Amino acid sequence: MKKFLLLNFMGLICLGISAQPFTQNIVVSNIASPDNIIRVDLNQDGHLDILSFEGDNDIEYFKNLGDGTYSQTNIYSFLDSPREFEVADMDNDNDLDIVACSIGDDQTVLLTNDGNENFTQSFITNGNAELTNPGFFVIGNFDDDNLKDIVISGSSVAGDMVGLYYIKNQGSGSFASPSEIVGEDEMIWQVVSGDFDKDNDLDIIATRNSPYGDGGLYKAVNNGSGSFTYTAIDESFECDELKEADIDGDNDLDFVIRKSDNTVYWYENNGNFSFTAHQIPHTFTDLIRFQPVNADGDADMDLFFYTYINASITESRFKVGYFENDGNEAFTETVLLDGHHEIESAVALDLSEDGDLDFILGSKQDNNIVFYTNTAIDTPTSIVGAKHNTVQVFPNPVNDRINVVAEEPITELTIFDVTGAIIKKHTVVGETAALNVQDLKQGVYILTIVTENQTISQRFVKK
């Protein structure tokens, strides 16, 4: 077992063209091509750990020891060209298991956690007799039986063509054979899930990307009990990247895509599985990968991004940043890091729980995983809204009660978490209000304040 010290590599630095200072800390210094980095409390001890692919075979676990150090353990070493892994409680025993797939050996693997970070291998699919080319997948309770199932791209026979399949979790570590949602000629690429039509079951959005020029966006509407109706949303383009989020903060689920020509669009959910596409302009020629995240603490979602290229190069040309959503379908490009070595994987989150955007990078060229912690001081107690009326929010950070004082009558207060989910909502009469937040978990939240003449938002930290 290896142990790594969280090293302050360069002290306080200013990265790229942003005015925001970051501290750069190398967490892992000798991991080959770290990819699919996930930040999760795998052992549920209150400290966020790290999981990552290493090279073409391994899943590595970096346990957060709570003192600035991480211990490294190899969880699994028998993948062949892995595509993706996800973490979920697949057997309902209140600990986190791992599902991984690899296209080189046509395997979908379940690594069952015994609660003590010991993992037992079993196969969900094994070899091309069951599912060949297993690719991107999502995990969720698709048939309302309280067990987490899988929807995955792959093929029922050997070959390159890829369809979409539903794999039912039968309990006790047993899974049914893959059931076809749509056949191999569709060339399914990425998939996401969510209740897009608000009927209390999980639907699917999928992208199609074919070497024969066929492409597009598709929906698989859940009819209940694991049955889906698959139809096209738009077949006029090929699509490479796909993520789901409530981009506009209206409490329904939108999604974001990158087309094969590197243009980025977010699709606004109009209800009844109808969507309107809005382009997010950018200035990059290198390909973009992205992650929806609330970067600025308001009531809508921004997009964290990094640039990459499908080749091994030694140039220090890659960028990291975010597209800031102004709440009116307009996005502003901000570069946080410019001139980085080749980036294999990245994830954005509030590492220090201070309300700022931090991020983790996995470098293919440097063979390391690095934390970038935002050190800007950004905890204002007064906000000036668009109508130039001041609203005070205090204390921040807060332990048990947060106070709001305005220059005009307040009508409503709403607390959101960083995913955009509503946590608390209160009707208010008067120019002052207080909210009991003692029951909130530690972390960052957004308080939206509605007055007679304006709506403004302020992030706060619950200690």
Side-chain angles (χ1 to χ4, degrees):
M1 180 180 294
K2 302 174 184 176
K3 187 173 181 181
F4 296 91
L5 177 65
L6 184 62
L7 298 173
N8 187 304
F9 181 58
M10 294 181 64
L12 186 63
I13 56 177
C14 265
L15 301 174
I17 61 175
S18 168
Q20 301 179 58
F22 287 79
T23 299
Q24 179 180 354
N25 300 296
I26 295 179
V27 183
V28 181
S29 58
N30 59 348
I31 179 171
S33 299
D35 198 5
N36 206 107
I37 294 173
I38 292 178
R39 186 84 160 141
V40 62
D41 185 5
L42 186 64
N43 60 348
Q44 302 184 66
D45 64 352
H47 302 298
L48 289 174
D49 312 301
I50 300 171
L51 289 171
S52 174
F53 282 137
E54 179 175 17
D56 290 331
N57 303 103
D58 300 340
I59 298 176
E60 298 294 313
Y61 167 40
F62 300 93
K63 179 180 178 180
N64 187 340
L65 302 180
D67 60 357
T69 63
Y70 289 75
S71 62
Q72 179 179 357
T73 303
N74 176 268
I75 290 181
Y76 193 67
S77 298
F78 302 101
L79 297 169
D80 184 358
S81 300
R83 173 61 57 79
E84 183 178 14
F85 73 87
E86 298 291 345
V87 177
D89 183 5
M90 299 301 292
D91 52 5
N92 285 353
D93 63 351
N94 297 315
D95 52 37
L96 295 175
D97 312 302
I98 299 171
V99 177
C101 69
S102 54
I103 58 176
D105 51 11
D106 298 320
Q107 291 181 351
T108 310
V109 179
L110 172 63
L111 303 175
T112 303
N113 189 347
D114 69 355
N116 294 304
E117 305 156 63
N118 300 308
F119 293 85
T120 302
Q121 168 199 301
S122 59
F123 291 106
I124 298 172
T125 67
N126 185 12
N128 58 27
E130 292 181 280
L131 193 73
T132 187
N133 294 321
F136 295 102
F137 65 89
V138 287
I139 294 171
N141 180 13
F142 291 98
D143 55 4
D144 198 28
D145 64 353
N146 201 36
L147 292 170
K148 292 181 175 64
D149 315 299
I150 298 170
V151 171
I152 187 169
S153 61
S155 303
S156 61
V157 294
D160 295 330
M161 308 302 280
V162 178
L164 190 64
Y165 293 84
Y166 165 64
I167 302 176
K168 177 179 173 58
N169 188 340
Q170 301 178 132
S172 303
S174 173
F175 291 82
S177 297
S179 173
E180 180 183 295
I181 297 174
V182 65
E184 283 81 12
D185 59 343
E186 288 298 301
M187 291 301 295
I188 299 300
W189 187 238
Q190 294 197 2
V191 293
V192 296
S193 65
D195 187 7
F196 289 95
D197 52 4
K198 289 189 170 183
D199 63 351
N200 298 314
D201 54 31
L202 293 176
D203 312 297
I204 299 293
I205 301 290
T207 66
R208 185 182 180 191
N209 192 336
S210 167
Y212 310 109
D214 300 325
L217 276 169
Y218 297 83
K219 59 187 178 184
V221 181
N222 193 336
N223 303 316
S225 302
S227 170
F228 297 86
T229 300
Y230 177 87
T231 54
I233 297 174
D234 190 337
E235 297 180 296
S236 63
F237 53 84
E238 293 183 35
C239 187
D240 292 334
E241 298 287 331
L242 173 65
K243 294 289 187 294
E244 83 285 2
D246 182 8
I247 298 296
D248 50 3
D250 63 352
N251 297 317
D252 54 27
L253 200 55
D254 315 299
F255 61 91
V256 188
I257 66 166
R258 177 178 59 78
K259 298 181 181 180
S260 58
D261 64 4
N262 210 34
T263 55
V264 177
Y265 289 82
W266 76 277
Y267 277 68
E268 180 181 3
N269 191 338
N270 303 316
N272 297 318
F273 252 111
S274 169
F275 299 91
T276 301
H278 305 276
Q279 187 169 3
I280 301 175
H282 65 81
T283 61
F284 308 116
T285 55
D286 286 332
L287 299 176
I288 291 178
R289 286 179 175 148
F290 49 78
Q291 171 198 343
V293 63
N294 194 326
D296 51 5
D298 58 12
D300 50 47
M301 297 296 283
D302 312 294
L303 279 184
F304 170 79
F305 71 83
Y306 66 98
T307 63
Y308 76 104
I309 189 169
N310 285 324
S312 294
I313 64 172
T314 58
E315 296 177 41
S316 298
R317 64 189 260 185
F318 299 100
K319 297 177 176 63
V320 178
Y322 67 97
F323 300 111
E324 181 179 355
N325 185 351
D326 72 351
N328 294 301
E329 303 172 3
F331 289 78
T332 302
E333 176 187 302
T334 298
V335 175
L336 300 174
L337 173 59
D338 192 0
H340 196 277
H341 291 163
E342 188 173 359
I343 300 169
E344 185 82 359
S345 181
V347 60
L349 71 168
D350 186 8
L351 291 166
S352 51
E353 296 188 346
D354 60 358
D356 292 316
L357 178 69
D358 312 308
F359 55 93
I360 302 172
L361 297 185
S363 174
K364 181 177 182 178
Q365 183 175 340
D366 297 331
N367 290 327
N368 61 18
I369 297 175
V370 183
F371 285 1
Y372 289 86
T373 304
N374 192 332
T375 59
I377 299 173
D378 185 17
T379 54
T381 57
S382 297
I383 321 137
V384 180
K387 302 294 184 181
H388 305 291
N389 296 316
T390 300
V391 177
Q392 293 183 318
V393 178
F394 61 93
N396 188 8
V398 59
N399 281 317
D400 51 12
R401 185 176 296 272
I402 192 165
N403 302 288
V404 182
V405 179
E407 294 180 347
E408 60 186 8
I410 305 167
T411 59
E412 187 177 83
L413 299 176
T414 306
I415 295 176
F416 299 86
D417 66 17
V418 292
T419 69
I422 296 175
I423 305 301
K424 291 177 179 284
K425 191 170 186 176
H426 291 274
T427 300
V428 179
V429 177
E431 297 179 355
T432 63
L435 283 178
N436 188 340
V437 295
Q438 191 171 9
D439 58 331
L440 297 185
K441 297 179 180 179
Q442 293 182 351
V444 178
Y445 297 87
I446 296 99
L447 174 64
T448 297
I449 304 148
V450 180
T451 70
E452 285 187 345
N453 295 303
Q454 62 186 331
T455 300
I456 54 180
S457 297
Q458 168 67 21
R459 65 185 171 192
F460 68 92
V461 177
K462 170 61 169 66
K463 295 194 293 187

